[in-house]
Short mmCIF file of all heavy atoms in Angstrom, two decimals:
data_model
loop_
_atom_site.label_atom_id
_atom_site.label_comp_id
_atom_site.label_asym_id
_atom_site.label_seq_id
_atom_site.Cartn_x
_atom_site.Cartn_y
_atom_site.Cartn_z
N LEU A 1 137.94 127.46 123.97
CA LEU A 1 137.24 126.57 124.90
C LEU A 1 136.01 125.97 124.25
O LEU A 1 135.66 124.80 124.49
CB LEU A 1 136.86 127.32 126.17
CG LEU A 1 138.00 127.84 127.05
CD1 LEU A 1 137.45 128.47 128.31
CD2 LEU A 1 138.98 126.74 127.40
N ARG A 2 135.33 126.75 123.42
CA ARG A 2 134.15 126.22 122.73
C ARG A 2 134.56 125.10 121.77
O ARG A 2 133.91 124.05 121.71
CB ARG A 2 133.45 127.34 121.96
CG ARG A 2 132.27 126.87 121.11
CD ARG A 2 131.64 128.02 120.36
NE ARG A 2 132.64 128.79 119.61
CZ ARG A 2 133.16 128.39 118.45
NH1 ARG A 2 132.80 127.23 117.90
NH2 ARG A 2 134.05 129.15 117.82
N GLU A 3 135.66 125.29 121.04
CA GLU A 3 136.13 124.27 120.11
C GLU A 3 136.56 123.01 120.87
O GLU A 3 136.27 121.87 120.44
CB GLU A 3 137.29 124.81 119.28
CG GLU A 3 136.89 125.95 118.35
CD GLU A 3 138.08 126.57 117.65
OE1 GLU A 3 139.20 126.04 117.83
OE2 GLU A 3 137.90 127.56 116.94
N ILE A 4 137.26 123.19 121.99
CA ILE A 4 137.69 122.04 122.78
C ILE A 4 136.49 121.31 123.34
O ILE A 4 136.45 120.06 123.38
CB ILE A 4 138.63 122.51 123.92
CG1 ILE A 4 139.95 123.00 123.33
CG2 ILE A 4 138.87 121.39 124.92
CD1 ILE A 4 140.88 123.63 124.34
N ASP A 5 135.48 122.05 123.76
CA ASP A 5 134.27 121.42 124.29
C ASP A 5 133.59 120.56 123.21
O ASP A 5 133.10 119.46 123.49
CB ASP A 5 133.31 122.48 124.80
CG ASP A 5 132.00 121.90 125.31
OD1 ASP A 5 132.04 121.18 126.32
OD2 ASP A 5 130.96 122.14 124.69
N GLU A 6 133.57 121.05 121.98
CA GLU A 6 132.99 120.27 120.90
C GLU A 6 133.75 118.97 120.70
O GLU A 6 133.15 117.90 120.47
CB GLU A 6 132.99 121.09 119.61
CG GLU A 6 132.02 122.26 119.61
CD GLU A 6 132.12 123.12 118.36
OE1 GLU A 6 133.01 122.82 117.52
OE2 GLU A 6 131.33 124.06 118.23
N LEU A 7 135.09 119.03 120.78
CA LEU A 7 135.89 117.81 120.65
C LEU A 7 135.60 116.84 121.78
O LEU A 7 135.48 115.62 121.56
CB LEU A 7 137.38 118.17 120.65
CG LEU A 7 137.91 118.92 119.41
CD1 LEU A 7 139.34 119.35 119.64
CD2 LEU A 7 137.79 118.06 118.17
N LEU A 8 135.48 117.33 123.01
CA LEU A 8 135.22 116.46 124.15
C LEU A 8 133.84 115.81 124.05
O LEU A 8 133.67 114.62 124.37
CB LEU A 8 135.33 117.25 125.46
CG LEU A 8 136.74 117.71 125.85
CD1 LEU A 8 136.68 118.60 127.08
CD2 LEU A 8 137.64 116.51 126.13
N ARG A 9 132.87 116.56 123.59
CA ARG A 9 131.53 116.00 123.47
C ARG A 9 131.47 114.97 122.34
O ARG A 9 130.75 113.98 122.44
CB ARG A 9 130.50 117.11 123.24
CG ARG A 9 130.18 117.87 124.53
CD ARG A 9 129.00 118.79 124.42
NE ARG A 9 129.34 120.02 123.71
CZ ARG A 9 128.92 120.34 122.50
NH1 ARG A 9 128.13 119.51 121.84
NH2 ARG A 9 129.27 121.47 121.93
N ARG A 10 132.23 115.21 121.25
CA ARG A 10 132.28 114.22 120.18
C ARG A 10 133.00 112.96 120.64
O ARG A 10 132.70 111.85 120.17
CB ARG A 10 132.98 114.80 118.95
CG ARG A 10 132.13 115.82 118.19
CD ARG A 10 132.58 115.94 116.75
NE ARG A 10 133.96 116.37 116.63
CZ ARG A 10 134.34 117.64 116.52
NH1 ARG A 10 133.43 118.60 116.54
NH2 ARG A 10 135.61 117.96 116.38
N ALA A 11 133.95 113.12 121.57
CA ALA A 11 134.66 111.95 122.08
C ALA A 11 133.76 111.07 122.92
O ALA A 11 134.05 109.88 123.12
CB ALA A 11 135.87 112.40 122.90
N ASP A 12 132.65 111.61 123.44
CA ASP A 12 131.64 110.84 124.16
C ASP A 12 132.25 110.05 125.32
O ASP A 12 132.33 108.82 125.29
CB ASP A 12 130.90 109.90 123.21
CG ASP A 12 129.65 109.29 123.88
OD1 ASP A 12 129.15 109.92 124.84
OD2 ASP A 12 129.22 108.22 123.45
N GLY A 13 132.70 110.74 126.30
CA GLY A 13 133.28 110.03 127.44
C GLY A 13 134.32 110.86 128.16
O GLY A 13 135.31 110.30 128.67
N ALA A 14 134.14 112.18 128.16
CA ALA A 14 135.11 113.04 128.84
C ALA A 14 135.11 112.76 130.34
O ALA A 14 134.07 112.58 130.96
CB ALA A 14 134.76 114.51 128.59
N GLU A 15 136.28 112.71 130.91
CA GLU A 15 136.42 112.44 132.32
C GLU A 15 135.91 113.63 133.13
O GLU A 15 136.06 114.78 132.74
CB GLU A 15 137.90 112.19 132.64
CG GLU A 15 138.15 111.79 134.09
CD GLU A 15 139.62 111.56 134.36
OE1 GLU A 15 140.41 111.57 133.39
OE2 GLU A 15 139.99 111.39 135.54
N ALA A 16 135.31 113.32 134.28
CA ALA A 16 134.76 114.37 135.14
C ALA A 16 135.89 115.04 135.90
O ALA A 16 136.30 114.60 136.98
CB ALA A 16 133.74 113.78 136.10
N ARG A 17 136.40 116.16 135.35
CA ARG A 17 137.49 116.89 135.99
C ARG A 17 137.69 118.22 135.28
O ARG A 17 136.99 118.53 134.31
CB ARG A 17 138.78 116.09 135.93
CG ARG A 17 139.34 115.86 134.52
CD ARG A 17 140.62 115.06 134.60
NE ARG A 17 141.19 114.75 133.30
CZ ARG A 17 142.06 115.53 132.64
NH1 ARG A 17 142.43 116.69 133.17
NH2 ARG A 17 142.54 115.18 131.47
N PHE A 18 138.65 118.99 135.76
CA PHE A 18 139.08 120.21 135.08
C PHE A 18 140.10 119.84 134.01
O PHE A 18 141.08 119.14 134.28
CB PHE A 18 139.73 121.18 136.08
CG PHE A 18 138.78 122.20 136.64
CD1 PHE A 18 138.29 122.08 137.93
CD2 PHE A 18 138.38 123.29 135.88
CE1 PHE A 18 137.42 123.02 138.46
CE2 PHE A 18 137.52 124.23 136.40
CZ PHE A 18 137.04 124.10 137.69
N TYR A 19 139.87 120.32 132.78
CA TYR A 19 140.83 120.15 131.70
C TYR A 19 141.53 121.49 131.46
O TYR A 19 140.91 122.54 131.51
CB TYR A 19 140.15 119.72 130.40
CG TYR A 19 139.64 118.31 130.39
CD1 TYR A 19 138.36 118.01 130.85
CD2 TYR A 19 140.44 117.27 129.91
CE1 TYR A 19 137.88 116.72 130.83
CE2 TYR A 19 139.96 115.96 129.89
CZ TYR A 19 138.68 115.70 130.36
OH TYR A 19 138.21 114.40 130.34
N SER A 20 142.82 121.41 131.16
CA SER A 20 143.55 122.60 130.75
C SER A 20 143.49 122.70 129.24
O SER A 20 143.70 121.69 128.52
CB SER A 20 145.00 122.52 131.22
OG SER A 20 145.77 123.52 130.60
N ALA A 21 143.21 123.89 128.73
CA ALA A 21 143.17 124.07 127.27
C ALA A 21 144.50 123.71 126.64
O ALA A 21 144.55 123.22 125.51
CB ALA A 21 142.79 125.52 126.95
N ARG A 22 145.58 123.89 127.37
CA ARG A 22 146.90 123.60 126.82
C ARG A 22 147.07 122.11 126.52
O ARG A 22 147.63 121.74 125.50
CB ARG A 22 147.98 124.06 127.80
CG ARG A 22 149.40 123.89 127.27
CD ARG A 22 150.42 124.29 128.30
NE ARG A 22 150.25 123.51 129.52
CZ ARG A 22 150.72 123.88 130.68
NH1 ARG A 22 151.36 125.02 130.81
NH2 ARG A 22 150.54 123.12 131.76
N GLU A 23 146.56 121.26 127.43
CA GLU A 23 146.74 119.84 127.23
C GLU A 23 145.92 119.32 126.05
O GLU A 23 146.19 118.24 125.53
CB GLU A 23 146.39 119.06 128.50
CG GLU A 23 144.93 119.15 128.90
CD GLU A 23 144.63 118.38 130.18
OE1 GLU A 23 144.87 117.15 130.21
OE2 GLU A 23 144.18 119.00 131.16
N LEU A 24 144.93 120.10 125.62
CA LEU A 24 144.10 119.69 124.48
C LEU A 24 144.34 120.57 123.26
O LEU A 24 143.65 120.42 122.24
CB LEU A 24 142.62 119.76 124.87
CG LEU A 24 142.19 118.83 126.03
CD1 LEU A 24 140.77 119.15 126.46
CD2 LEU A 24 142.31 117.38 125.61
N GLU A 25 145.33 121.46 123.32
CA GLU A 25 145.57 122.40 122.24
C GLU A 25 145.97 121.69 120.96
O GLU A 25 145.49 122.01 119.86
CB GLU A 25 146.63 123.41 122.65
CG GLU A 25 146.92 124.49 121.61
CD GLU A 25 145.72 125.38 121.34
OE1 GLU A 25 144.78 125.40 122.14
OE2 GLU A 25 145.73 126.05 120.29
N LEU A 26 146.87 120.71 121.08
CA LEU A 26 147.32 120.00 119.89
C LEU A 26 146.17 119.28 119.21
O LEU A 26 146.02 119.33 117.99
CB LEU A 26 148.43 119.00 120.26
CG LEU A 26 149.03 118.20 119.10
CD1 LEU A 26 149.62 119.15 118.04
CD2 LEU A 26 150.09 117.24 119.61
N LEU A 27 145.33 118.63 120.03
CA LEU A 27 144.17 117.94 119.47
C LEU A 27 143.25 118.93 118.78
O LEU A 27 142.69 118.66 117.71
CB LEU A 27 143.43 117.21 120.60
CG LEU A 27 142.17 116.45 120.20
CD1 LEU A 27 142.49 115.34 119.21
CD2 LEU A 27 141.49 115.85 121.44
N ARG A 28 143.10 120.09 119.36
CA ARG A 28 142.24 121.11 118.74
C ARG A 28 142.79 121.57 117.40
O ARG A 28 142.05 121.71 116.42
CB ARG A 28 142.11 122.32 119.70
CG ARG A 28 141.15 123.40 119.21
CD ARG A 28 141.19 124.61 120.11
NE ARG A 28 142.41 125.38 119.92
CZ ARG A 28 142.55 126.31 118.97
NH1 ARG A 28 141.58 126.57 118.12
NH2 ARG A 28 143.69 126.98 118.86
N LEU A 29 144.10 121.79 117.35
CA LEU A 29 144.70 122.27 116.11
C LEU A 29 144.63 121.22 115.01
O LEU A 29 144.31 121.52 113.86
CB LEU A 29 146.16 122.66 116.36
CG LEU A 29 146.37 123.92 117.21
CD1 LEU A 29 147.84 124.11 117.50
CD2 LEU A 29 145.79 125.14 116.52
N LEU A 30 144.90 119.96 115.38
CA LEU A 30 144.88 118.90 114.38
C LEU A 30 143.48 118.65 113.83
O LEU A 30 143.30 118.30 112.66
CB LEU A 30 145.44 117.60 114.96
CG LEU A 30 146.93 117.61 115.31
CD1 LEU A 30 147.33 116.32 115.99
CD2 LEU A 30 147.76 117.86 114.05
N GLY A 31 142.48 118.87 114.70
CA GLY A 31 141.12 118.62 114.26
C GLY A 31 140.41 119.85 113.75
O GLY A 31 139.22 119.79 113.42
#
């Protein structure tokens, strides 16, 4: 979750909602 949060903050524009770690897992692994 900490790694995903870093990605979302770098994206500068995360939508105001609940994110599932699964939906961002691939992005986390690639980055």
Side-chain angles (χ1 to χ4, degrees):
L1 295 184
R2 176 181 51 78
E3 294 174 5
I4 292 173
D5 178 66
E6 290 176 356
L7 291 173
L8 290 174
R9 283 191 283 110
R10 286 203 300 268
D12 191 24
E15 185 180 352
R17 65 180 178 89
F18 266 103
Y19 289 88
S20 168
R22 184 183 58 200
E23 65 181 301
L24 298 171
E25 182 64 17
L26 181 58
L27 179 62
R28 185 186 74 85
L29 290 174
L30 293 175

